[in-house]
Amino acid sequence: MLFKVSLLLAIIVLNSYSQTLNNNLNSSEISYLKKKKSITMCIDPNWLPFEAFDENGKHIGFNAEYFKIFQDRLPIPIQIIKTDSWNQSLLFAKERKCDILSLAMKTPKREEHFSFTLPYLKIPLVLATTTDKPFLNDFYTLSEKLAIPKGYAFAELLKAQYPNLNIVSVENIQDGLEKVVQGEVFGYIGTLTSVGYYFQKGFTGEIKIAGKFDRDWELGVGVRDDDKILLDIFNKLILDIDETTHKAIFNRWIKIEYDEKIDYNLLWKILMGVFVLSVAFFYYQRKLTLLNNSLEQRVEEELKKSRDTDKLIFQQNKLISMGEMIENIAHQWRQPLASINNLVILIDKKSGLTN
């Protein structure tokens, strides 16, 4: 009887395990989870909006949403190990204090210690600088100091792709962006999402996105390399999340961080700037219209003067022509008149002789 009860309980437990992942787990994976009892995890404690610990030590951010779904589909708890930095999380995972890294990118160096699931987040990688710096599209010749948090995957990958990059390690994104503003480094390399998040948190008007790298940051779960079964389980968990759920997680977090925390000072500055530009635009447009009208009036006056001058010149030319014609006529009549005058004088003289 006891054997039958135990067998029945075992069947119920196994059935519960199988239903947790929509019957995607095989028998060896179910047996593995039953024996393991819990999964230890290390996170990045200061990487909002992706993840962090809040003031009460609770896991928050984008990735916390994903792991809530994973936890709901697993029959054993995920236990988060508290760390002070991402670098410490990497160290703990290498020392097997953590079974998994919650959100990590695969690199050749990391593959010495971890296996990586399919990526479930892909984010553009950007360069943030102060607003006075030029926009960049060529990173091969860039040699200024660029900040990246300690242990971040792209320090390794970018250094291989762009040998001239002068990468400086910082504690976290807050530390990196502060060094940018203070002029200690030229820029900060990070994800568009995380840099954009901190723009809203206190760097408004001081920092801009000055360039985008041609590679995205592909993030998945890092699993200790001696645990293939756990890797397979998390790949199934990731594949079980549909596109609608991905969008819902993103929109939910963005709504919390951006819609409910509008920077009204920035909004008023933008509106005031638009107003000033509008007034300036209409002022100069009006001034330009008056100038155009004045120019048209002056052109008309000059044209009228030109037409009057043309008429005067025409009359003068006409009088000159008449004078020349009269002069020619007079010249033609001078010789006959002189001849006639000579004849009269001769006749007068001859008449005197006769008398």
Side-chain angles (χ1 to χ4, degrees), residues 32-71:
Y32 165 89
L33 290 173
K34 182 181 176 182
K35 292 177 181 178
K36 190 165 182 60
K37 296 182 180 179
S38 69
I39 299 169
T40 55
M41 176 173 75
C42 288
I43 73 165
D44 189 330
N46 191 8
W47 193 27
L48 287 175
F50 295 101
E51 63 181 1
F53 289 120
D54 67 8
E55 57 187 11
N56 298 317
K58 182 182 176 183
H59 187 201
I60 60 173
F62 278 111
N63 209 33
E65 299 277 353
Y66 281 102
F67 271 86
K68 185 179 184 303
I69 295 173
F70 297 158
Q71 179 63 87

Side-chain angles (χ1 to χ4, degrees), residues 154-167:
F154 257 99
E156 177 185 345
L157 298 177
L158 288 176
K159 192 64 179 175
Q161 186 175 359
Y162 305 100
N164 289 327
L165 289 186
N166 185 3
I167 294 175

Side-chain angles (χ1 to χ4, degrees), residues 249-266:
I249 292 173
F250 180 82
N251 292 334
R252 184 160 54 248
W253 185 258
I254 290 298
K255 181 178 180 181
I256 292 171
E257 295 303 328
Y258 293 90
D259 292 349
E260 295 182 2
K261 297 182 180 179
I262 297 172
D263 188 343
Y264 288 100
N265 289 330
L266 175 62

